[in-house]
């Protein structure tokens, strides 16, 4: 490929938006989260990679599922006890973002919030999508919410926003905050 052609994330990111585009063109269902929210962190001693679930789009006759990998994905997260035992991190929160799914006759599934506190100097990276354009609703359904990624530095309540594909250095006490996109709703809300 010639610069600036994309040469990464075809499996994990491109496939997500292609699937949403096909389902949308066929009017099968509203858009799902449209990303795998690829998170990596590490230093010279530790390396870790995870993909994080979000919301599924609603469809004719069903609500979207909350907190699920959609389309071509089939990965699972490392159990919190194993994550914290093997890496110098603390999983402060992993919860469903209640009410984040698009409204509709059949609502979109809710995304999640994931907060990881670091206990050592590390680099953390996000490779994601749906940070500017929300997952679309269908047949009068409302769009889902975009995702966000941020860092809360130790001793601060402010959050530094990261882009959809960005990395930064974190230090002991810093918290990585991921809020994943939700699914779009299907049909006009009542």
């Amino acid at each position: 490929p010639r610069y600036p052609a994309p040469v990464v994330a075809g499996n994990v990111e491109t496939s997500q938006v292609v699937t949403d585009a096909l389902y949308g063109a066929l009017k099968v269902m509203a858009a799902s989260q449209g990303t795998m929210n690829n998170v990596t962190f590490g230093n010279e001693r530790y390396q870790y990679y995870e993909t994080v679930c979000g919301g599924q789009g609603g469809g004719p006759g069903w609500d979207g599922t909350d907190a699920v990998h959609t389309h071509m994905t089939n990965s699972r997260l490392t159990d919190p006890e194993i994550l914290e035992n093997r890496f110098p991190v603390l999983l402060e929160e992993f919860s469903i973002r209640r009410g984040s799914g698009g409204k509709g006759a059949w609502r979109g599934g809710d995304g999640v919030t994931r907060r990881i506190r670091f206990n050592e100097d590390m680099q953390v990276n996000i490779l994601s999508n749906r940070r500017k354009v929300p997952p679309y609703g269908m047949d009068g359904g409302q769009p889902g919410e975009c995702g966000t990624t941020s860092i809360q530095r130790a001793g601060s309540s402010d959050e530094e926003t990261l882009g959809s594909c960005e990395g930064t250095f974190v230090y002991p006490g810093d918290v990585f905050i991921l809020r994943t996109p939700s699914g779009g709703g299907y049909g006009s809300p009542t």
Side-chain angles (χ1 to χ4, degrees), residues 154-173:
S156 175
S157 61
D158 295 334
E159 293 183 22
E160 300 170 14
T161 302
L162 298 180
S164 61
C165 298
E166 190 170 349
T168 190
F169 290 96
V170 290
Y171 307 97

Side-chain angles (χ1 to χ4, degrees), residues 47-190:
Q47 296 83 41
Y48 181 72
Y49 181 176
E50 68 181 14
T51 61
V52 184
C53 57
Q56 178 190 37
W62 76 87
D63 289 334
T65 304
D66 302 335
V68 67
H69 275 297
T70 55
H71 306 328
M72 54 68 64
T73 62
N74 64 354
S75 55
R76 292 177 45 178
L77 281 172
T78 304
D79 293 332
E81 299 82 3
I82 293 172
L83 178 67
E84 294 175 353
N85 186 48
R86 293 185 182 168
F87 299 94
V89 299
L90 175 67
L91 182 60
E92 288 190 340
E93 179 182 357
F94 187 38
S95 64
I96 296 174
R97 295 175 54 214
R98 298 283 180 208
S100 63
K103 308 297 183 237
W106 295 281
R107 69 171 186 81
D110 293 334
V112 302
T113 297
R114 190 162 174 88
R115 293 175 54 98
I116 302 172
R117 181 175 298 274
F118 289 89
N119 296 320
E120 270 188 32
D121 294 359
M122 299 245 183
Q123 182 172 359
V124 63
N125 304 286
I126 181 73
L127 171 63
S128 62
N129 205 336
R130 299 270 197 222
R131 288 338 195 233
K132 294 181 181 178
V133 178
Y136 61 81
M138 183 168 283
D139 285 349
Q142 300 299 307
E145 290 184 8
C146 288
T148 64
T149 309
S150 60
I151 302 293
Q152 186 177 42
R153 300 292 177 184
S156 175
S157 61
D158 295 334
E159 293 183 22
E160 300 170 14
T161 302
L162 298 180
S164 61
C165 298
E166 190 170 349
T168 190
F169 290 96
V170 290
Y171 307 97
D174 290 351
V175 179
F176 174 83
I177 305 167
L178 176 64
R179 296 175 184 97
T180 66
S182 56
Y186 189 97
S188 296
T190 54

